[in-house]
Amino acid sequence: MKDMSAALEALTDRDPGRRDVSAASLGDLLRATTLDADTARLIVRRLVSLTVNEPVTRVRESALNAVSEALNHRRLPLDLVKPLAAAMPTMETEILGHTIYILGATHPPRRCR
């Protein structure tokens, strides 16, 4: 888990190149399916936060690609990625498709009947 901790820490690095590589590394971890659900959600939450606050398009795209990797192997709640919807007006056209996919592939909370 040392690699995961280092990658999570690098998401806040001043260098956009390091943030980009970190997001991609976390995507690799999410693709591997060896993470428990809580750890995967922690990573996704941090990647969503990065996407919402990140000024560099390539870093945002790497973060969104990593979140997509999580969705290929797990069911994620809509609330986890909902901040992406509010950030859509600030997104460049090339990454809007990723965001729409992520929002559509998540699951709303179950309602009591």
Side-chain angles (χ1 to χ4, degrees):
M1 288 299 171
K2 182 180 176 185
D3 292 335
M4 183 189 79
S5 296
L8 286 170
E9 185 176 324
L11 290 178
T12 60
D13 196 276
R14 294 183 69 192
D15 177 12
R18 288 208 59 216
R19 293 191 306 270
D20 187 44
V21 169
S22 173
S25 295
L26 291 168
D28 291 343
L29 288 173
L30 290 167
R31 183 181 315 115
T33 70
T34 57
L35 301 173
D36 62 68
D38 289 336
T39 303
R41 288 179 180 178
L42 168 74
I43 293 171
V44 169
R45 187 175 298 109
R46 294 285 304 278
L47 290 166
V48 167
S49 178
L50 174 66
T51 302
V52 168
N53 297 302
E54 176 62 47
V56 179
T57 301
R58 77 174 191 270
V59 178
R60 288 177 120 183
E61 186 170 16
S62 291
L64 291 169
N65 284 335
V67 172
S68 295
E69 288 295 343
L71 288 166
N72 289 335
H73 305 288
R74 295 170 181 82
R75 290 177 52 101
L76 296 176
L78 177 61
D79 290 347
L80 189 62
V81 298
K82 201 170 186 177
L84 293 174
M88 288 176 74
T90 69
M91 292 182 185
E92 298 77 7
T93 305
E94 59 265 24
I95 63 173
L96 281 172
H98 296 296
T99 304
I100 292 167
Y101 165 74
I102 290 167
L103 291 169
T106 55
H107 300 277
R110 293 184 183 186
R111 295 183 186 180
C112 297
R113 293 183 182 197

